Amino acid sequence: MIFYICLINEYLMPGRASILVIGASGQIGTELILELRKQFGSARIIASDIKVPGYEVLEGGPFEILDVLDKVRLDEIVRNFNIKEVYMLAALLSATAEQNQAYAWKLNVEGLFNVLHLAREKRISKIFWPSSIAVFGPDTPKDKTPQKCIMNPATIYGISKLTGERWCEYYFMKYRVDSRSIRYPGLVGYKSAPGGGTTDYAVQIFYEAIRKKKYICYLKKDTVLPMMYMPDAIRGTIELMNAKFEKIKIRSSYNFSGMSFSPDTLAAEIKKHLPAFECLYSPDHRQQYADSWPRSINDTSARKEWGWKAEYNIKTMTSDMLENLMN
Ligand code: AKB
């Protein structure tokens, strides 16, 4: 009890700038919170979400219930905790956004807008907001997709992310708002479960391979998509946020690349460790979203401008995933 009173006093100390993560119970939020706490100290990192997070996030530091669409509550948290940086991760992903289009638009676009507005009013000084490979569409070059090219997204999620990119750039040009963004590929990690995405199979396959030795994949076996291992994604995100202001030349969102693979290539890699594993294929509605996205991404701008470089490939990622999930 005394420990918590001390912590609360410390968070509320005027002058001590804190970082707010909105969407801290999600796949990226969970891992980002743990890393930010490690790097900056638990007291400075305020986790928030509409739902209660897992044990590690909840017990390791301050957590606040927050719906980013509730401007009054957002305002209160920013004031009470002296928030200066915001990671705005709350979103509906590609598959759930198609089922709930109006809410997806509201959360993905208005949610960002509420945070951009705080920066415009100089209440906060820096924002991270994730975009996605879903900003690209069927007309986009599929291989080594360039930073700038024809986009025309074909999903509600992609349309909302492209809109967000335009808002971020506009707010930078007009009000000098320091927002930074990455176009995440599919993310694979063992600390938190994804939800509602098209690339989620690449996490589910590991759990089912271990538990049942069998997985039925909802994408065709040869559907190649850009992917990344979570430790790379988290490191890249924090590196982008720590980069000097002048280095950030792209204020919409950076192409960001790790590896590319299809379900059958990943299944074959898992089979090297678990020979009895079998993957079957039964494509559903998510196939069309995946078919509209690139196969691989050219991230030259991120590499040149702020030094991005992925470390993991499919082999090292698979060994690390299995080692962590099986021990
Ligand atoms: C999804 O599958 O919706 C996301 C994404 C590619 O942004 N993982």
Side-chain angles (χ1 to χ4, degrees), residues 93-95 131-134 157 184-187 196-200 293:
L93 299 189
S94 54
S131 185
S132 160
I133 53 159
Y157 175 62
Y184 284 129
L187 298 176
T198 300
T199 57
D200 296 6
W293 295 345

Side-chain angles (χ1 to χ4, degrees), residues 91-94 97-98 108 132 134 155-162 293:
L92 284 200
L93 299 189
S94 54
E98 292 301 316
N108 295 7
S132 160
T155 59
I156 291 294
Y157 175 62
I159 296 169
S160 70
K161 287 293 179 187
L162 184 53
W293 295 345

Side-chain angles (χ1 to χ4, degrees), residues 60-309:
F63 171 78
E64 295 288 316
I65 289 285
L66 170 66
D67 175 354
V68 69
L69 298 174
D70 181 347
K71 285 195 243 176
V72 175
R73 176 91 180 110
L74 175 62
D75 208 74
E76 189 180 272
I77 291 176
V78 166
R79 192 172 347 101
N80 288 351
F81 291 95
N82 192 21
I83 301 293
K84 289 295 164 221
E85 275 180 36
V86 174
Y87 289 75
M88 172 20 204
L89 308 177
L92 284 200
L93 299 189
S94 54
T96 35
E98 292 301 316
Q99 317 297 325
N100 203 343
Q101 300 178 355
Y103 180 62
W105 181 259
K106 206 170 168 59
L107 178 63
N108 295 7
V109 180
E110 272 180 42
L112 167 64
F113 193 74
N114 289 348
V115 175
L116 283 172
H117 193 73
L118 286 172
R120 177 184 164 174
E121 288 184 332
K122 309 271 178 268
R123 307 267 315 281
I124 57 172
S125 50
K126 217 194 270 183
I127 299 170
F128 176 82
W129 171 79
S131 185
S132 160
I133 53 159
V135 292
F136 298 113
D139 304 325
T140 300
K142 289 247 173 241
D143 297 301
K144 297 220 171 8
T145 301
Q147 175 69 41
K148 285 189 182 167
C149 59
I150 190 157
M151 299 174 95
N152 295 344
T155 59
I156 291 294
Y157 175 62
I159 296 169
S160 70
K161 287 293 179 187
L162 184 53
T163 305
E165 288 193 9
R166 302 324 307 149
W167 273 116
C168 287
E169 192 173 280
Y170 178 83
Y171 264 60
F172 175 72
M173 288 185 313
K174 193 132 186 170
Y175 309 112
R176 262 1 221 189
V177 163
D178 186 2
S179 73
R180 303 171 181 213
S181 177
I182 278 171
R183 291 174 179 153
Y184 284 129
L187 298 176
V188 180
Y190 59 87
K191 292 188 188 162
S192 53
T198 300
T199 57
D200 296 6
Y201 89 85
V203 178
Q204 292 163 3
I205 193 170
F206 283 96
Y207 284 91
E208 301 287 287
I210 294 166
R211 272 191 223 132
K212 302 185 185 158
K213 310 262 177 293
K214 184 173 164 179
Y215 177 62
I216 302 177
C217 182
Y218 55 79
L219 294 182
K220 287 189 202 151
K221 63 181 186 176
D222 57 353
T223 311
V224 176
L225 287 171
M227 295 281 181
M228 188 177 285
Y229 196 32
M230 197 59 100
D232 271 343
I234 299 297
R235 180 175 54 79
T237 302
I238 297 174
E239 280 173 10
L240 173 66
M241 283 298 266
N242 288 342
K244 289 212 170 79
F245 181 89
E246 325 71 76
K247 292 209 168 207
I248 313 301
K249 309 279 184 229
I250 293 172
R251 292 296 179 163
S252 50
S253 189
Y254 276 97
N255 272 13
F256 190 57
S257 174
M259 60 189 99
S260 282
F261 57 76
S262 58
D264 65 345
T265 314
L266 181 58
E269 198 57 46
I270 294 174
K271 221 169 149 57
K272 289 182 192 165
H273 300 259
L274 303 169
F277 173 58
E278 186 188 14
C279 190
L280 304 172
Y281 301 90
S282 175
D284 68 13
H285 59 283
R286 287 167 279 193
Q287 184 65 46
Q288 60 179 302
Y289 317 144
D291 285 342
S292 74
W293 295 345
R295 280 189 286 261
S296 61
I297 298 290
N298 178 337
D299 63 358
T300 308
S301 301
R303 286 164 178 267
K304 279 200 187 137
E305 289 166 21
W306 47 276
W308 165 245
K309 193 172 182 323

